[in-house]
Amino acid sequence: MSETGELAAAIEEVAALLGRAESVLFITGAGVSADSGLPTYRGVGGLYNDEDAGPEEGLPIEVLLSGPFFQRDPATTWKYIRQIEEACRGAQPNPAHAVMAALEGRVDRLWVMTQNVDGLHTAAGSQNVIELHGNIHRLRCTACDYRTSVRDYSALAPLPRCPDCRAVVRPDVVLFEEMLPEAAVAAMLRERARGFELVFTVGTSSPFPYVTDPVIQARRRGGASVEINPDRTRVSDLVTHKLSAGAADAMTRLAAALRR
Ligand code: OAD
């Protein structure tokens, strides 16, 4: 069978699984938002591996965007966080986000567990979203309880300060070497303990165990798992179905197959 024929057949199989499943987990990464025009972290045009546009400070981006570095030099970390925010600015959800949101109305129990900080799953209408790495639109004070939300960073000072206590304000995102947010971890563990009949990873290079574990868990239980990614990743050989396609394309085709 040709590659396109194989993909078409796999889409039909996965749509049939989706049509029957009572519980579905979508684990998503930067590739889902690539179809909204956002850069990914890794791969072609990725923020972290574009050698020509390397950080001026001469340090890897993983250091500049780390919790310990932020504590030493918050202004520099803010500079790089702003670049990420600028790359997200004005982005709209794409059909991949929209189809996942619409599926919530069809599947008894559906969760989206995302590593993305762009807020596009909730913007698309998904309710059951676990934002494992936080959300770039939320800001919080590093010293007091002050919290706020912003549409973008255009009106923020280079080093934003808390209006209540003047301490440095930071985005409510997980920096390198920081713990995941407690509430998100609790939600993830709670839902994973309930198990999922069908697990998808979509647009992620799957660098973390919390992305690969649900796929391994599904495999152990004899359940189905699907990877949607034009490239191969560390879960490609673990999933039962590999859809080598972009997220918006694959999700649109899955939705069409489900309607048939
Ligand atoms: P990555 O940039 O590591 O991976 C993006 C994946 O999306 C790659 O495997 C691409 O092949 C794939 N991709 C590209 N375009 C796509 C498309 N149109 N449709 C589907 N897939 C596509 O991003 P993440 O896996 O999200 O964490 O990275 C995970 C975490 O690593 C990030 O949340 C960030 C980073 O370090 C923190 O900052 C804490």
Side-chain angles (χ1 to χ4, degrees):
M1 208 188 304
S2 70
E3 230 170 75
T4 39
E6 265 174 39
L7 178 62
I11 297 255
E12 292 299 327
E13 277 176 34
V14 174
L17 291 169
L18 247 181
R20 287 196 298 270
E22 288 179 4
S23 55
V24 176
L25 173 65
F26 283 98
I27 303 168
T28 71
V32 166
S33 297
D35 290 325
S36 295
L38 269 60
T40 57
Y41 294 98
R42 305 174 183 84
V44 179
L47 283 170
Y48 293 177
N49 57 359
D50 186 349
E51 283 166 17
D52 297 335
E56 297 143 42
E57 274 72 15
L59 290 167
I61 194 76
E62 289 88 345
V63 172
L64 297 163
L65 285 176
S66 70
F69 191 89
F70 176 77
Q71 283 179 9
R72 285 200 300 281
D73 183 357
T76 300
T77 302
W78 257 107
K79 188 171 101 180
Y80 290 100
I81 292 172
R82 288 183 94 94
Q83 288 182 2
I84 295 177
E85 188 279 323
E86 275 167 28
C88 299
R89 202 171 287 176
Q92 298 297 321
N94 65 56
H97 299 103
V99 171
M100 286 180 217
L103 282 170
E104 253 183 46
R106 183 183 169 122
V107 178
D108 278 358
R109 195 173 131 254
L110 184 147
W111 280 85
V112 174
M113 193 172 92
T114 189
Q115 299 157 90
N116 298 342
V117 295
D118 52 38
L120 290 178
H121 282 295
T122 38
S126 281
Q127 310 261 330
N128 294 338
V129 182
I130 301 172
E131 290 180 322
L132 283 173
H133 293 168
N135 186 311
I136 205 159
H137 304 291
R138 289 196 307 260
L139 305 178
R140 63 181 164 89
C141 179
T142 51
C144 75
D145 290 338
Y146 175 77
R147 298 247 182 304
T148 191
S149 282
V150 290
R151 193 142 74 125
D152 62 49
Y153 291 179
S154 53
L156 294 184
L159 183 59
R161 297 260 168 197
C162 175
D164 296 341
C165 75
R166 306 306 302 157
V168 170
V169 160
R170 61 168 285 173
D172 198 6
V173 297
V174 176
L175 296 171
F176 286 97
E177 295 180 54
E178 288 187 328
M179 309 278 278
L180 299 181
E182 247 174 65
V185 172
M188 172 177 78
L189 295 177
R190 181 193 68 220
E191 295 307 322
R192 269 181 39 193
R194 296 176 72 189
F196 289 95
E197 277 175 46
L198 184 57
V199 175
F200 287 78
T201 68
V202 192
T204 174
S205 63
S206 303
F208 300 118
Y210 41 86
V211 175
T212 47
D213 284 354
V215 175
I216 295 167
Q217 196 179 9
R219 197 185 159 94
R220 282 206 192 112
R221 290 182 176 178
S225 52
V226 183
E227 176 175 58
I228 300 178
N229 195 317
D231 282 347
R232 293 192 66 74
T233 74
R234 63 190 71 188
V235 301
S236 301
D237 290 328
L238 297 175
V239 292
T240 55
H241 295 78
K242 162 80 184 160
L243 303 184
S244 294
D249 176 34
M251 292 305 298
T252 305
R253 291 172 68 175
L254 279 174
L258 261 178
R259 281 194 298 271
R260 284 198 286 274

